[in-house]
Amino acid sequence: MTLKYNSKQSTMGVTTPNRLFLNLEGAFSWNGTIYDKLSGKSGVYIISVIGWERWIPYLHGKSNIIYVGESEDIGKRLHQHKFTGINRMLKGYVDGCSLNVYYRNVLNVSELKTHEAQMIHQFENIYGGIPMCNNQRPDVD
């Protein structure tokens, strides 16, 4: 029996962010240059842990994706995650793990929340839960 990569029965190791979501840029290592690299870019972004031992168990499989977000300035938002701890669980990962960042440009900033919500719901449909560092399930229009 062959399973598709988005099957709820077998998701470990095959649904990297670039396979799960279309038109992503990255992976970009979260290091000191990430803020300048993504400064001024508006869009949705995905944060994932690096290393198989760090993959997160969800109801329908494991994933390295820990957060999906949106911002009018992704570089500035990542800087806030790192230095202000606006999301404590995410800050713990930022401080303690190697991370990658992926993003998709969204030119019309009025559509940012919709794009983010769709990506979170797509993740939830596959894995049975929202990314572990997302604190709430967004509404989709």
Side-chain angles (χ1 to χ4, degrees):
M1 178 177 153
T2 303
L3 297 173
K4 292 183 179 180
Y5 76 90
N6 63 352
S7 168
K8 290 180 181 176
Q9 299 170 0
S10 178
T11 55
M12 184 170 173
V14 289
T15 51
T16 61
N18 279 328
R19 291 193 68 186
L20 185 60
F21 303 113
L22 298 175
N23 304 315
L24 290 179
E25 301 283 334
F28 302 105
S29 179
W30 189 321
N31 57 36
T33 64
I34 192 76
Y35 312 113
D36 292 334
K37 183 173 199 66
L38 299 179
S39 179
K41 296 195 184 297
S42 67
V44 289
Y45 59 96
I46 293 93
I47 300 172
S48 66
V49 293
I50 298 172
W52 288 100
E53 71 282 357
R54 299 275 187 191
W55 283 50
I56 312 302
Y58 292 97
L59 184 62
H60 298 304
K62 291 184 177 183
S63 175
N64 65 341
I65 297 172
I66 59 170
Y67 189 77
V68 175
E70 56 82 18
S71 178
E72 292 182 31
D73 187 331
I74 297 172
K76 181 178 178 181
R77 185 68 168 165
L78 293 175
H79 189 273
Q80 290 172 335
H81 285 307
K82 170 73 175 168
F83 295 104
T84 66
I86 54 177
N87 178 322
R88 289 184 186 186
M89 185 179 290
L90 181 56
K91 174 114 170 78
Y93 275 93
V94 171
D95 289 343
C97 299
S98 295
L99 302 174
N100 278 330
V101 177
Y102 302 77
Y103 79 96
R104 179 190 305 154
N105 279 327
V106 177
L107 299 177
N108 187 345
V109 295
S110 67
E111 297 176 355
L112 285 171
K113 295 254 185 237
T114 300
H115 283 262
E116 176 195 36
Q118 289 170 344
M119 291 173 85
I120 291 172
H121 283 288
Q122 182 178 348
F123 184 93
E124 183 177 25
N125 286 338
I126 293 169
Y127 288 101
I130 64 174
M132 74 172 313
C133 293
N134 284 91
N135 294 324
Q136 59 190 10
R137 184 175 287 104
D139 293 327
V140 177
D141 295 335

